[in-house]
Amino acid sequence: MATTVENRIGTEAKVLQSHLGGKWQAGAEQGAALLNPTTGETVAWASSKGLDLKAAMEHSRNVGGPELRKLTYAQRAEMLGKIADALAARRDEWFEIARKNSGNTKADAAIDIDGSIGTLKYFGKIGAKLGVAHMLRDGSPARLARDQNFQGLHVGVPLDGVAVHINAFNFPAWGLWEKAAVSLLAGVPVFSKPATSTAWLAQEMVNAVIDAGVLPPGALSILCGSPNDLLDHLQLGDVVAFTGSADTAEGIRQHPRVRQRNIRVNIEADSLNAALLGPDVTPDSPAFGFFAREVVREMISKTGQKCTAIRRVLVPAEQAGAAIDAISEALRKVVVGDPANATVTMGPVVNMTQRRSVEDGIRRLKTQADVAYSSESLAPVDANLEKGAFVPPTLLKTRSSGEAELVHHVEVFGPVASVVPYRDKEGAFALARRGGGSLAASVFSNDTSFLAEAGAALGTTHGRVLLVDPSIGDSHTGHGIVLPSCMHGGPGHAGGGEELSGLHGLWFYHQRVAMQGAAATLTALSQQAADPRD
Ligand code: NAP
């Protein structure tokens, strides 16, 4: 199904097909409308009604898996590089779709699209180091008993099932490829299910990669439209990597098939991420400026629709006024409107349902907080507020830090953050931990020993902690940016998952086995395997 993107943009909304069982297939109805959030116009339709997902998953398992695992890690790594090249060649088209279907500005689209291409290239590069191996090795053979000849070795054997990847609406490109890169490198075929509301970009990218002919048959499938009975067909050897809301995650964990078959599941869910201004920082110090800039960047980047975005802004009580002033001054410069206009710095949220959810979330937070900044009358540039899913950037301040509960539980998935004043550093750490487990926290201070203390204090409840002193104020990659070399995921509320972290991420797609035997046997086995730490 090699269609060009031009005939899908602006003119007529197309029905997205799914690539299943090695061919493009349409659902049995027009299905759900995918919208342009700036105008409310329909840009595509998606339906999975009537598609035989059982047969499609069997095709992935029985054709895609063996084809992939015939290749070495190095060959599969090379494939990732070719996928990245195929995608990079059509980068402008992806940006156009991201604008039309997600309301992305160029900067927003770059995080998603360039982030996905960069992640594929990264795994292409580090995967090559695993060479001609077909298995992973964890360390070297070690003696297990008095007889020196009896030894043990942990190895990882690629799973022989299918990797079901279920993604959230906010990263249709990166969500697809950050999971697929690791899975394909491991030798496990990908069965991707993008969020319906923004599936267009994911579908076109898969289309481009299938057309490029760089993958063996059955290695990459995509299901557009609702998941239907997808999870009912999971079996031994399959995995589910899910990104989305905590409610959907709970449904997946509780799915009878997942429970009965103990299907391996990785969950990336909601998160109430915090930025913490150190007690030593005064408004005239550079750390203060870096902190305020990061809070604003996180509020408006992707219109606040990043799972890692800063939701809670923890500041010493005596600096709350100055922090609000600095953040508000920058928010005043934000230009909301149609991302097609180059002056616009923040587009709409993904659709009217999401806009209502953000408005409702602000209303809930306001029962325990006051508005510290919100543009008085939102007039989006080149857009109509009645039709577009626009929300103003909104900064709140909790009335009573100790008692305000909602700020630690309610994820408002939009350009919204709350200032929460604290009394002392122990109080600040306790507030950060009240998120119940988060993806990311960032701490800003001039004092490196305070930063180290904060890192240790926040470590148990966070997946990633960014510790910023002025020496890295301009060079760090940002609070909300997920790097393929670092772990992505967080405990508790954030889902308890782990993704990426370089080659470590491969273990999710391997069965770890303790091999026991004679030294010569284990040496022979060990020679077929690569240690991802080497
Ligand atoms: P969502 O409503 O939970 O949907 C996520 C995905 O799950 C979609 O593909 C959805 O398909 C699918 N889904 C829905 N019901 C399902 C079911 N019963 N079985 C299997 N799949 C099902 O989340 P969203 O609104 O797209 O995304 C926003 C949320 O994702 C936010 O809360 C955000 O914090 C979170 N998020 C987390 C991360 C992270 O890495 N931790 C990253 C990005 C976003 P349909 O679209 O077809 O319903």
Side-chain angles (χ1 to χ4, degrees):
M1 217 202 61
T3 47
T4 60
V5 85
E6 285 78 12
N7 68 358
R8 296 182 172 214
I9 293 177
T11 50
E12 197 186 328
K14 297 289 173 177
V15 177
L16 301 182
Q17 296 193 15
S18 297
H19 193 262
L20 303 172
K23 53 183 190 290
W24 290 101
Q25 304 185 32
E29 59 178 9
Q30 187 168 251
L34 282 69
L35 306 175
N36 179 335
T38 304
T39 61
E41 286 161 359
T42 300
V43 293
W45 300 89
S47 166
S48 56
K49 189 174 179 190
L51 297 175
D52 186 346
L53 303 187
K54 183 169 189 280
M57 287 166 82
E58 275 167 8
H59 179 85
S60 300
R61 262 183 227 114
N62 300 335
V63 178
E67 288 285 336
L68 277 171
R69 289 187 296 279
K70 264 191 231 160
L71 308 172
T72 64
Y73 289 105
Q75 287 170 321
R76 294 194 293 260
E78 195 183 336
M79 224 169 54
L80 298 182
K82 289 181 182 163
I83 296 176
D85 291 343
L87 294 176
R90 291 175 57 182
R91 183 173 173 271
D92 291 349
E93 291 173 33
W94 314 141
F95 272 62
E96 187 67 351
I97 296 176
R99 180 177 68 77
K100 291 260 180 180
N101 189 199
S102 294
N104 281 182
T105 61
K106 284 213 160 108
D108 293 341
I111 299 173
D112 191 26
I113 293 161
D114 293 341
S116 66
I117 295 170
T119 300
L120 283 157
K121 283 188 176 160
Y122 170 83
F123 280 102
K125 195 165 164 209
I126 61 165
K129 288 195 280 187
L130 297 173
V132 296
H134 289 272
M135 271 190 292
L136 297 182
R137 169 167 60 80
D138 185 6
S140 306
R143 186 175 130 189
L144 294 178
R146 184 169 296 186
D147 177 3
Q148 295 222 8
N149 189 33
F150 181 54
Q151 299 193 352
L153 171 72
H154 285 98
V155 298
V157 183
L159 296 174
D160 59 4
V162 58
V164 173
H165 293 165
I166 302 173
N167 285 312
F169 76 80
N170 55 337
F171 281 104
W174 179 81
L176 162 65
W177 297 113
E178 59 98 16
K179 287 183 171 68
V182 185
S183 186
L184 292 171
L185 181 59
V188 181
V190 169
F191 200 101
S192 193
K193 153 71 188 99
T196 301
S197 55
T198 57
W200 184 15
L201 178 56
Q203 198 262 9
E204 290 287 355
M205 284 180 138
V206 167
N207 197 353
V209 170
I210 302 274
D211 277 357
V214 296
L215 282 172
L220 178 61
S221 303
I222 186 166
L223 172 64
C224 298
S226 101
N228 287 343
D229 55 349
L230 176 63
L231 301 182
D232 294 346
H233 309 298
L234 291 166
Q235 61 183 50
L236 175 67
D238 295 346
V239 295
V240 178
F242 169 81
T243 298
S245 64
D247 288 346
T248 311
E250 175 66 8
I252 288 173
R253 275 193 213 287
Q254 298 305 330
H255 190 280
R257 191 77 169 188
V258 170
R259 289 172 53 186
Q260 286 154 12
R261 306 264 170 137
N262 288 318
I263 300 296
R264 191 179 291 178
V265 174
N266 191 75
I267 301 284
E268 299 294 347
D270 307 357
S271 181
L272 279 304
N273 313 293
L276 195 168
L277 184 69
D280 60 297
V281 184
T282 50
D284 54 353
S285 66
F288 191 91
F290 291 127
F291 169 79
R293 187 181 68 184
E294 199 59 19
V295 170
V296 173
R297 183 154 63 184
E298 287 294 307
M299 285 178 72
I300 64 164
S301 167
K302 293 196 110 257
T303 318
Q305 299 166 110
K306 285 208 322 283
C307 53
T308 48
I310 295 169
R311 308 290 175 199
R312 301 176 297 150
V313 184
L314 312 182
V315 294
E318 61 277 16
Q319 305 298 356
I324 288 170
D325 288 348
I327 295 165
S328 302
E329 193 186 325
L331 289 178
R332 231 166 262 128
K333 297 181 189 137
V334 175
V335 181
V336 179
D338 182 348
N341 183 315
T343 65
V344 165
T345 52
M346 193 179 91
V349 292
V350 73
N351 53 33
M352 282 295 188
T353 309
Q354 193 59 29
R355 172 174 157 181
R356 281 190 290 275
S357 159
V358 171
E359 289 166 348
D360 182 55
I362 294 172
R363 262 192 297 279
R364 289 184 71 193
L365 292 181
K366 274 166 67 177
T367 60
Q368 298 179 344
D370 297 316
V371 174
Y373 175 82
S374 179
S375 39
E376 268 145 36
S377 56
L378 182 63
V381 174
D382 293 348
N384 180 337
L385 196 51
E386 302 301 311
K387 293 187 177 161
F390 294 96
V391 280
T394 305
L395 185 70
L396 303 165
K397 175 175 173 279
T398 55
R399 270 177 226 125
S400 161
S401 298
E403 284 157 31
E405 264 304 307
L406 293 173
V407 69
H408 305 295
H409 303 302
V410 178
E411 183 201 46
V412 183
F413 210 57
V416 182
S418 302
V419 171
V420 186
Y422 70 80
R423 291 273 154 226
D424 53 29
K425 66 181 178 187
E426 284 76 21
F429 300 153
L431 285 170
R433 287 194 289 257
R434 276 171 70 181
S438 308
L439 294 169
S442 51
V443 188
F444 294 75
S445 170
N446 301 306
D447 177 355
T448 48
S449 45
F450 170 74
L451 288 170
E453 185 184 354
L458 303 186
T460 52
T461 50
H462 289 80
R464 181 165 59 83
V465 183
L466 170 66
L467 303 166
V468 183
D469 74 277
S471 74
I472 55 161
D474 277 321
S475 59
H476 70 81
T477 48
H479 166 104
I481 297 295
V482 177
L483 299 173
S485 53
C486 287
M487 206 270 282
H488 174 58
H493 191 116
E498 278 194 19
E499 281 184 334
L500 302 171
S501 36
L503 294 176
H504 182 80
L506 286 172
W507 286 104
F508 181 69
Y509 297 98
H510 287 73
Q511 178 59 39
R512 198 170 142 83
V513 193
M515 294 287 186
Q516 300 176 333
T521 308
L522 293 190
T523 301
L525 197 61
S526 163
Q527 281 163 356
Q528 296 173 39
D531 190 332
R533 292 170 303 179
D534 287 345

PDB file of all heavy atoms in Angstrom, residues 139 192 411 481 507:
ATOM      1  N   GLY A 139      27.915 -11.742  32.070  1.00  0.00           N
ATOM      2  CA  GLY A 139      29.156 -12.119  32.738  1.00  0.00           C
ATOM      3  C   GLY A 139      29.803 -13.336  32.091  1.00  0.00           C
ATOM      4  O   GLY A 139      29.556 -13.651  30.927  1.00  0.00           O
ATOM      5  N   SER A 192       2.559  -3.261  16.475  1.00  0.00           N
ATOM      6  CA  SER A 192       2.371  -1.951  17.084  1.00  0.00           C
ATOM      7  C   SER A 192       0.923  -1.488  16.997  1.00  0.00           C
ATOM      8  O   SER A 192       0.278  -1.618  15.965  1.00  0.00           O
ATOM      9  CB  SER A 192       3.272  -0.928  16.377  1.00  0.00           C
ATOM     10  OG  SER A 192       3.327   0.239  17.136  1.00  0.00           O
ATOM     11  N   GLU A 411      -3.030  14.227  37.231  1.00  0.00           N
ATOM     12  CA  GLU A 411      -2.165  14.598  36.118  1.00  0.00           C
ATOM     13  C   GLU A 411      -3.005  15.390  35.109  1.00  0.00           C
ATOM     14  O   GLU A 411      -3.875  14.824  34.445  1.00  0.00           O
ATOM     15  CB  GLU A 411      -1.605  13.345  35.429  1.00  0.00           C
ATOM     16  CG  GLU A 411      -0.627  13.682  34.307  1.00  0.00           C
ATOM     17  CD  GLU A 411      -0.443  12.544  33.301  1.00  0.00           C
ATOM     18  OE1 GLU A 411      -1.461  11.951  32.876  1.00  0.00           O
ATOM     19  OE2 GLU A 411       0.706  12.259  32.939  1.00  0.00           O
ATOM     20  N   ILE A 481      13.244  15.328  28.377  1.00  0.00           N
ATOM     21  CA  ILE A 481      13.715  14.602  27.195  1.00  0.00           C
ATOM     22  C   ILE A 481      14.243  13.218  27.597  1.00  0.00           C
ATOM     23  O   ILE A 481      15.120  13.095  28.445  1.00  0.00           O
ATOM     24  CB  ILE A 481      14.826  15.402  26.462  1.00  0.00           C
ATOM     25  CG1 ILE A 481      14.257  16.737  25.951  1.00  0.00           C
ATOM     26  CG2 ILE A 481      15.436  14.590  25.324  1.00  0.00           C
ATOM     27  CD1 ILE A 481      13.185  16.625  24.875  1.00  0.00           C
ATOM     28  N   TRP A 507      17.043  -6.898  27.535  1.00  0.00           N
ATOM     29  CA  TRP A 507      16.677  -8.027  28.412  1.00  0.00           C
ATOM     30  C   TRP A 507      15.174  -8.247  28.457  1.00  0.00           C
ATOM     31  O   TRP A 507      14.706  -9.368  28.650  1.00  0.00           O
ATOM     32  CB  TRP A 507      17.241  -7.812  29.832  1.00  0.00           C
ATOM     33  CG  TRP A 507      18.732  -8.028  29.877  1.00  0.00           C
ATOM     34  CD1 TRP A 507      19.694  -7.056  29.942  1.00  0.00           C
ATOM     35  CD2 TRP A 507      19.437  -9.275  29.829  1.00  0.00           C
ATOM     36  NE1 TRP A 507      20.950  -7.624  29.943  1.00  0.00           N
ATOM     37  CE2 TRP A 507      20.817  -8.991  29.876  1.00  0.00           C
ATOM     38  CE3 TRP A 507      19.038 -10.604  29.755  1.00  0.00           C
ATOM     39  CZ2 TRP A 507      21.798  -9.985  29.853  1.00  0.00           C
ATOM     40  CZ3 TRP A 507      20.010 -11.597  29.725  1.00  0.00           C
ATOM     41  CH2 TRP A 507      21.370 -11.281  29.772  1.00  0.00           C
TER      42      TRP A 507
END
